[in-house]
Amino acid sequence: MNILVFGKDGQLGKAFQSVLTDQKLGEHRIHYVGRAQCDLSNADAITNLLRETKPNLIINAAAYTAVDQAEQEIDLAYAINANAPAILAQYAVKEGATLLHYSTDYVFDGTKTTAYFESDARNPLGVYGKSKAAGEEAIEKVFAAHPNPQAQFAILRTSWVYGDGGNFIRTILRLARERESLKVIANQYGVPTSAPWLASISLAMVLDENHQLRSFPSGLYHAIPQGETTWYELACFSVQVALDAGADLKLRPDRIIAIPASEYPLPAPRPMNSRLARSALDALMNQISKGSDVTKWQQWQQSWQEPVADYVQDLVLHKRS
Ligand code: NDP
């Protein structure tokens, strides 16, 4: 089998490289591709790469993710987040391939008071969210227009991703070394998602125990760990774990000040509620892990705190924050 992974230098792409290496898929040819090998804003480059590599499984971990900059770079955001996924979907339906694509809580406006279901209407607030929503719609449209029983897709919506790269937790730990007090937004709700956790759950979804493609219902899936939190709580938790792990910080959790989002204006609007209900993937993971893979089920049932604590401890231990 040929596996093509886009976004090799991003948080999720790096996590895929590490998880796929751990799984020792020696019998498969895996192509990891970054911006230098294929610029996703260039449709011809994508088509040529697909022709050369002939993937049976495409993992699209690349995206235009600069949320505030997207307000200025609208065409570029749409080219990468909407047009590129459409081309990948066209290849998948033509060749009978599997497409694994990632999306975001930002496709919702965040006004719902409970967790969003996969079936809830999209209503993105900013350009980034709109371009990601357009990518979701493009994939759905291509698959609906060209039914091929061999082809399948999963769009995994996730939130608050952290891994090997820039993210909120790393920013907080850097600021915690520099400052004695810090204001953090306390009225935006979501779930921190570890990139390796997400890569591992994604692979469990698409590959069986023999590392062959499994079939699953094409569609939207919400992929986040259990629980929920706010940026403020996540900051307090991360700082406390770092202190417990021996980090030399000026900041203490009791000097983190909870503020409303209105006190921290940013160029792009963010959803106040990023909670995603896990029902679709819950059913699938239950079916997949029934009897055969208890570890995967336990991983799926993990709450956000444990992987965040592991991540922070690792950053402190290796002085990477
Ligand atoms: P990153 O920003 O860490 O990585 C994105 C990758 O996409 C980068 O390696 C970047 O390349 C690559 N990329 C950007 N533009 C192009 C281009 N024109 N051609 C080729 N590659 C390009 O993102 P994450 O790993 O955190 O995100 C993974 C997925 O999860 C994305 O779909 C994102 O929308 C989604 N998501 C992320 C969240 C988060 O908090 N980070 C939250 C919710 C969803 P380069 O390294 O060269 O810049």
Side-chain angles (χ1 to χ4, degrees), residues 4 6 50 55-60 88 91-92 97-101:
L4 179 56
F6 288 99
L50 293 170
N56 309 91
L57 168 62
I58 302 171
I59 300 174
N60 183 22
L88 301 181
Y91 168 87
T98 295
L99 172 61
L100 200 49
H101 177 73

Side-chain angles (χ1 to χ4, degrees), residues 2 32 41 49 73-74 80 102 131 146 151-153 155 176 190-191 195 204 242-243 251 264 287:
N2 290 326
Y32 299 104
S41 65
L49 181 73
E73 295 186 319
I74 302 170
I80 298 164
Y102 291 86
S131 67
H146 307 280
Q152 50 185 2
F153 75 91
I155 300 170
V191 190
L243 288 169
L251 186 68
Y264 193 74
Q287 194 189 323

Side-chain angles (χ1 to χ4, degrees), residues 9-12 35 38-40 63 65 80 103 128 132 158 161:
D9 301 313
Q11 298 192 94
L12 185 58
R35 192 194 295 259
C38 180
D39 183 343
L40 287 177
T65 54
I80 298 164
S103 193
Y128 166 72
K132 293 293 289 183
T158 190
V161 175

Side-chain angles (χ1 to χ4, degrees), residues 6-14 33-42 60-66 76 80-81 101-106 128 132 156-167 193 195 198 231:
F6 288 99
K8 78 174 177 65
D9 301 313
Q11 298 192 94
L12 185 58
K14 284 182 186 166
V33 175
R35 192 194 295 259
Q37 293 76 35
C38 180
D39 183 343
L40 287 177
S41 65
N42 179 340
N60 183 22
Y64 182 105
T65 54
L76 186 60
I80 298 164
N81 291 347
H101 177 73
Y102 291 86
S103 193
T104 166
D105 49 307
Y106 281 39
Y128 166 72
K132 293 293 289 183
L156 270 62
R157 286 194 191 128
T158 190
S159 68
W160 301 14
V161 175
Y162 61 92
D164 186 355
N167 57 64
T193 303
L198 182 57
W231 294 118

